[in-house]
Amino acid sequence: MPQQHLDRLTSIDASFLHQESPASHMHIGAVLLFEGPPPAFADYLEYVRGRLHLVPRYRQKLATPPLETGRPLWVDDPNFNLDYHVRHTALPSPGTEEQLFLLASRIDSQPLDRSKPLWESWLVEGLEDGRFALIFKNHHALVDGVSGVDLATVLFDLSPEPSTAIAGLEPWQPRPEPSPAELVLAGVRGAVTTTVEIVTRAMAAATRPGTSLGLLRDAAEGIGEIVWAGLNPAPETPLNVEIGPHRRYAVVRQRLADYKEIKDSLGGTVNDVVLAVVSGALADWLHARGVRTEGLELRALVPVSVRADLRDGSLGNQLTAMRAPLPVYIDDPLARLRFVKKAMDDLKGSKQAVGAATLTAVNSLAPPTILAQASRLNFSTRLFNLIVTNIPGPQVPLYVLGRKLDDVFPLAFLPKDHALAVAIMSYNGAIDYGLLGDYDALPDIDLIADGIAAALEELLRAARGKRPGWGAGVRPPDGRRTEDSGSNGSPIPIIPKAHTRPKHGPAADMRAKRERGSRPTRKRPDA
């Protein structure tokens, strides 16, 4: 569907605006590393200008009808200035990747200006080995993680020779800024269109009563599953604390072939392997923090695209989410993977996604004030411990102005009271992790990054038959072990007291390492 002036935000897009706060920024993005010398900034600026017609939303800003009589709308920005959105900076010598990711964390710590189109792009020079980087930042209301990959291809070419199809474009002419009455009328028109779509679907359903009854039953069961999940909040962990506006960022480079080898040998999908790896890394991190993991099962919010095929290419968010278990109580990596596979198979067979999509359709008819409350309920942060999003990217090399893209490190967002978000993206045979953490709550975020590499290595050894059979290291889900009880028979608390801080172990070693100086850059394993 083409992007138009006076398009009304979808209910999901509007919910991302409602959920934003000074400490929880609802923007996403990526850090992209390229081979070769950077292009001249003027050339990059014109390159972006020549492709903006392919994404009209990037020249549009938000407009809200008077007295919140409707959801916000996208309108052409008559004062659009590309120089404001495309920015230029350089790293100080020596230009390490650590400096680059520190810059990315600082950029991510700043909210986007809602009076302007909700995106930024940074050209970063001065990276060691003669390389350069691009940092992208887009509000989640503008684009979701899946269509974000499609948007990136607007700037990418499939060969070192830049496309010449953009020559001779007419200058962009913004539509006049709408009056309050026009905003109200556009909002009403959008609501009527939504109502007509729902009525049309209902009339079509009436002609297929057997099929429709099954769909209604699935929707009702799905909503019931969501309500039941709401009655069972996620466990309290050090990840779920009050956060501030500032961020830390760490990355991990890995090979997609390793994940495929594990799934082919041990079963499951690439996403199952990702969740098992994240579970192992978080288990190690919790142990380093002095947290007991017996009986502890974290919940990850895993976004799932529900965009229909005929809507592919549109910018509106068509997302729902599954709450996937992360069994940090299981020591054995193979047992952990099998648990994750079984749990994800059960989730895919459940009605969770259908129920969430039904609630979204109902929210489409809700007034803004009701929608704001509904979005918070549907995205209740107490139901999960962290976001884990896995984005499939192109498996062919991409280029910008003749420079080859080497790495794509995604950036997710931190909801309220969530100190960590894990985003993963595959590209051209690689799979790159981007770990976004709260600055104060996760000073040891690098421990999680190191744990991801270690957890993958454990699974690779199991897949290659380099370790004995599985199962011996599994802790029972109820955590009942004689050594886990105090002298009076009561269980030891999972979460230690706030002042407890181990003086020995990985966390203490990490603190000492930070005091001595910067840590070396983490390289992707060789084939």
Side-chain angles (χ1 to χ4, degrees), residues 248-469:
R248 294 181 186 271
Y249 189 59
V251 306
V252 184
R253 286 183 172 93
Q254 293 185 332
R255 299 188 316 138
L256 183 59
D258 291 338
Y259 284 76
K260 292 182 176 180
E261 179 182 350
I262 291 169
K263 80 172 182 66
D264 291 342
S265 175
L266 304 179
T269 65
V270 168
N271 198 55
D272 294 338
V273 179
V274 165
L275 292 175
V277 166
V278 172
S279 297
L282 290 177
D284 290 345
W285 174 76
L286 288 167
H287 294 157
R289 283 281 188 107
V291 177
R292 304 297 296 269
T293 59
E294 290 80 5
L296 183 60
E297 183 179 286
L298 305 188
R299 291 187 195 167
L301 190 75
V302 181
V304 178
S305 176
V306 294
R307 182 182 289 108
D309 291 343
L310 57 86
R311 295 187 184 183
D312 284 348
S314 63
L315 274 186
N317 283 276
Q318 301 291 334
L319 290 177
T320 184
M322 293 184 178
R323 295 169 183 88
L326 300 177
V328 296
Y329 65 87
I330 299 179
D331 283 337
D332 187 276
L334 182 49
R336 189 186 303 131
L337 174 59
R338 293 188 178 186
F339 180 96
V340 168
K341 177 185 181 304
K342 172 72 164 57
M344 292 305 294
D345 287 346
D346 291 345
L347 276 177
K348 293 169 187 174
S350 73
K351 305 299 190 298
Q352 240 189 61
V354 177
T358 301
L359 288 177
T360 299
V362 173
N363 284 344
S364 295
L365 296 174
T369 52
I370 297 177
L371 175 62
Q373 298 302 320
S375 68
R376 293 185 178 96
L377 292 174
N378 199 20
F379 191 72
S380 177
T381 55
R382 70 189 186 94
L383 300 183
F384 60 96
N385 298 106
L386 73 157
I387 290 175
V388 180
T389 178
N390 184 14
I391 307 163
Q395 295 306 306
V396 294
L398 300 176
Y399 301 84
V400 167
L401 287 171
R403 282 78 168 175
K404 181 173 176 276
L405 174 65
D406 277 343
D407 283 294
V408 183
F409 297 107
L411 278 156
F413 65 95
L414 298 185
K416 178 183 178 183
D417 296 336
H418 285 66
L420 175 67
V422 181
I424 307 102
M425 184 165 181
S426 58
Y427 159 68
N428 195 29
I431 184 166
D432 291 334
Y433 284 71
L435 310 180
L436 185 68
D438 177 72
Y439 188 86
D440 295 316
L442 276 185
D444 50 356
I445 192 172
D446 287 319
L447 278 182
I448 302 175
D450 292 337
I452 287 172
L456 177 70
E457 181 60 29
E458 284 184 329
L459 282 171
L460 273 174
R461 290 180 61 83
R464 295 166 181 172
K466 295 183 179 180
R467 53 163 298 169

Side-chain angles (χ1 to χ4, degrees), residues 3-287:
Q3 302 156 28
Q4 303 287 347
H5 177 68
L6 289 175
D7 278 346
R8 191 172 72 142
L9 270 71
T10 69
S11 59
I12 299 180
D13 293 338
S15 74
F16 286 122
L17 297 177
H18 294 311
Q19 291 155 8
E20 194 160 38
S21 73
S24 296
H25 317 308
M26 287 292 169
H27 50 248
I28 56 176
V31 181
L32 285 64
L33 273 69
F34 290 84
E35 289 181 357
F41 180 66
D43 292 341
Y44 177 64
L45 194 67
E46 288 307 307
Y47 182 78
V48 175
R49 194 189 311 275
R51 306 209 172 188
L52 275 181
H53 68 286
L54 300 173
V55 278
R57 192 73 81 228
Y58 274 36
R59 286 186 173 122
Q60 294 176 338
K61 64 178 182 177
L62 294 171
T64 304
L67 303 177
E68 294 191 353
T69 52
R71 293 203 296 266
L73 301 103
W74 295 110
V75 300
D76 290 350
D77 182 6
N79 300 312
F80 178 77
N81 182 358
L82 187 61
D83 289 0
Y84 171 84
H85 296 275
V86 180
R87 305 180 182 189
H88 188 203
T89 190
L91 299 176
S93 180
T96 63
E97 288 188 357
E98 184 180 13
Q99 291 173 299
L100 173 66
F101 298 133
L102 179 60
L103 172 64
S105 66
R106 289 174 175 168
I107 291 173
D108 195 78
S109 299
Q110 304 299 318
L112 288 161
D113 185 347
R114 288 199 184 184
S115 69
K116 296 178 171 60
L118 299 177
W119 67 279
E120 295 173 4
S121 173
W122 294 69
L123 172 63
V124 184
E125 298 186 23
L127 197 62
E128 59 189 353
D129 300 329
R131 297 174 296 160
F132 73 100
L134 296 176
I135 299 176
F136 287 94
K137 179 176 169 183
N138 308 287
H139 199 282
H140 217 320
L142 179 72
V143 55
D144 67 58
V146 177
S147 61
V149 178
D150 298 331
L151 283 174
T153 61
V154 169
L155 295 181
F156 291 139
D157 293 305
L158 295 175
S159 72
E161 295 299 323
S163 170
T164 58
I166 60 174
L169 290 175
E170 293 294 329
W172 178 67
Q173 295 294 331
R175 304 283 185 88
E177 201 150 5
S179 67
E182 289 174 317
L183 290 175
V184 171
L185 180 61
V188 170
R189 187 165 54 243
V192 169
T193 301
T194 300
T195 304
V196 169
E197 290 177 353
I198 292 176
V199 170
T200 302
R201 288 199 295 267
M203 293 176 64
T207 65
R208 303 188 304 272
T211 302
S212 301
L213 184 60
L215 294 175
L216 287 173
R217 183 171 56 248
D218 288 347
E221 291 177 6
I223 293 173
E225 290 185 17
I226 292 173
V227 172
W228 174 253
L231 298 175
N232 295 272
E236 294 183 8
T237 75
L239 293 175
N240 306 115
V241 295
E242 184 178 355
I243 63 172
H246 304 296
R247 303 288 179 258
R248 294 181 186 271
Y249 189 59
V251 306
V252 184
R253 286 183 172 93
Q254 293 185 332
R255 299 188 316 138
L256 183 59
D258 291 338
Y259 284 76
K260 292 182 176 180
E261 179 182 350
I262 291 169
K263 80 172 182 66
D264 291 342
S265 175
L266 304 179
T269 65
V270 168
N271 198 55
D272 294 338
V273 179
V274 165
L275 292 175
V277 166
V278 172
S279 297
L282 290 177
D284 290 345
W285 174 76
L286 288 167
H287 294 157

